[in-house]
Amino acid sequence: MMQTILGANGQIAVELARELNRRYTTDLRLVSRRPRAVNAADGLVAADLLDAEQTKAAVAGSEIVYFTAGLPPKTELWEAQFPTMLRNALDASRSAGAKFAYFDNTYMYPQDDRVQTEDTPFAPVGRKGEVRATMASMVLDEMARGDIDVLIGRAPEFYGPGRTQSFTNTLIIDNIKNGRKPRVPVRDDRLRTLIWTPDASRGLAALGNTPKAYGQTWHLPVDDNRPTYKEFVAMAAETFGRDAGYTVVPRWALSSAGLFSQQVREIKELLPRYAQDSRFDSSKFNAAFPDFTVTTYRTGLGIIRAEAHDERIGQGPRQQ
């Protein structure tokens, strides 16, 4: 049973390819503009998802299609390209009669302290949130149409190994790893829900290979022991054997041009949520997959530390 990953070079896609190969099938097709093999048996297809015909050819013959494509965090690029890429992927999957698993985020959710469930209404703040709301609605429309089996797997902010990109990795983990003082965005006393990137990919693989999961939205599995950033920094500092000191960077400073990278500045519309508790609920997934083991924050940080040690001595990153 061939399974295809669209947008195959990102961290989620790489971990997804590993998990699918480990547990479900070795008949994998990885699709991107410049795909790279993750497993020895992977089939590689170079395709531009903005091109409908290339996307259709890349999906042909697939049983399950996973949409994990990403774009650089530039608003205009998201608006111009993301919906087109998704529309082409949905059309290609319908043409192939393939199941469709959409990897989503929470940008379209309200930026307040409510508990986020699969039924949380969309109330995007900012243009990127609007794009993600539009895309999720496209997938829900396809689900309602019923021509093919469709599901949504949704994740909160990442933290993780490899090339994981998030505020938490960029401002906290990478700084601690490199012996610099971590910077906490906005507040240090609010609860955070972060998802370990390999868990997100493992969860998406489990959903994609569970027929009863289709026709639904799922929150991907997270550690329910939500730390504050103060507690998270303390755990990370202890793990890396570093000083636990940190700086809280106020919202105005994070919004200032030139203070941090373009990538950080481009997601400043998400900053209000760092002033609120983040309570992303994955109890639906936990009930459906009771044997799924979620990675704890301490375990995840330990894996990142081991990976950093391996890289320093020239062994390369470990596979999770």
Side-chain angles (χ1 to χ4, degrees):
M1 179 177 72
M2 187 173 71
Q3 303 192 25
T4 296
I5 302 174
L6 300 180
N9 290 340
Q11 189 68 28
I12 293 296
V14 168
E15 301 288 355
L16 176 61
R18 288 174 180 159
E19 179 69 4
L20 291 173
N21 179 266
R22 274 192 300 253
R23 298 198 55 181
Y24 300 103
T25 180
T26 57
D27 191 3
L28 290 180
R29 179 184 292 168
L30 308 186
V31 180
S32 69
R33 290 185 179 183
R34 290 176 291 276
R36 299 186 297 269
V38 176
N39 312 291
D42 291 343
L44 305 181
V45 174
D48 182 352
L49 299 183
L50 290 169
D51 186 298
E53 291 305 314
Q54 288 185 32
T55 306
K56 184 176 180 180
V59 165
S62 303
E63 295 287 336
I64 303 174
V65 173
Y66 301 87
F67 186 91
T68 64
L71 286 172
K74 297 181 180 179
T75 299
E76 292 77 10
L77 196 64
W78 281 35
E79 292 171 336
Q81 296 188 7
F82 245 153
T84 299
M85 293 163 63
L86 179 58
R87 172 50 56 204
N88 289 342
L90 287 167
D91 289 346
S93 298
R94 196 183 317 110
S95 178
K99 297 177 179 179
F100 189 84
Y102 176 60
F103 181 73
D104 200 8
N105 64 26
T106 61
Y107 280 29
M108 76 294 294
Y109 281 166
Q111 296 195 25
D112 54 28
D113 64 355
R114 76 184 69 186
V115 176
Q116 296 173 345
T117 71
E118 289 84 354
D119 295 324
T120 296
F122 296 172
V125 176
R127 291 162 62 186
K128 289 188 185 68
E130 292 283 358
V131 172
R132 296 304 304 208
T134 296
M135 294 170 70
S137 297
M138 289 168 60
V139 179
L140 290 171
D141 288 346
E142 190 72 41
M143 193 184 294
R145 183 200 302 247
D147 292 341
I148 56 174
D149 290 331
V150 176
L151 67 81
I152 295 174
R154 185 166 291 142
E157 183 186 335
F158 303 152
Y159 83 108
R163 299 192 183 104
T164 298
Q165 297 181 24
S166 70
F167 263 22
T168 299
N169 268 70
T170 300
L171 298 179
I172 296 176
I173 297 173
D174 290 349
N175 280 335
I176 290 177
K177 185 167 61 174
N178 295 315
R180 298 190 296 265
K181 181 178 287 191
R183 291 168 166 168
V184 170
V186 185
R187 295 187 67 142
D188 66 352
D189 60 347
R190 294 293 186 256
L191 301 178
R192 310 310 311 159
T193 305
L194 307 171
I195 193 167
W196 177 246
T197 46
D199 284 359
S201 300
R202 289 170 53 227
L204 188 65
L207 290 170
N209 287 276
T210 301
K212 291 182 179 179
Y214 286 88
Q216 302 177 63
T217 296
W218 297 83
H219 277 187
L220 292 165
V222 296
D223 182 353
D224 289 332
N225 297 306
R226 302 174 180 90
T228 63
Y229 265 140
K230 181 177 181 179
E231 293 166 337
F232 187 85
V233 170
M235 278 192 286
E238 180 183 348
T239 300
F240 281 87
R242 307 287 192 190
D243 180 81
Y246 58 90
T247 300
V248 176
V249 184
R251 182 176 168 184
W252 67 263
L254 283 165
S255 300
S256 298
L259 184 59
F260 293 107
S261 68
Q262 175 70 16
Q263 178 187 10
V264 173
R265 291 198 303 273
E266 276 285 344
I267 54 177
K268 63 184 180 182
E269 71 186 48
L270 301 179
L271 292 177
R273 67 180 53 190
Y274 290 92
Q276 308 284 348
D277 287 335
S278 168
R279 296 182 292 169
F280 177 93
D281 181 85
S282 60
S283 57
K284 176 182 175 180
F285 184 98
N286 300 340
F289 299 91
D291 295 331
F292 188 100
T293 301
V294 174
T295 303
T296 67
Y297 289 105
R298 286 193 180 276
T299 299
L301 289 167
I303 292 171
I304 294 172
R305 182 184 183 278
E307 179 185 74
H309 176 265
D310 288 351
E311 289 174 347
R312 282 196 301 273
I313 63 176
Q315 292 184 3
R318 301 183 182 192
Q319 290 193 6
Q320 308 305 323

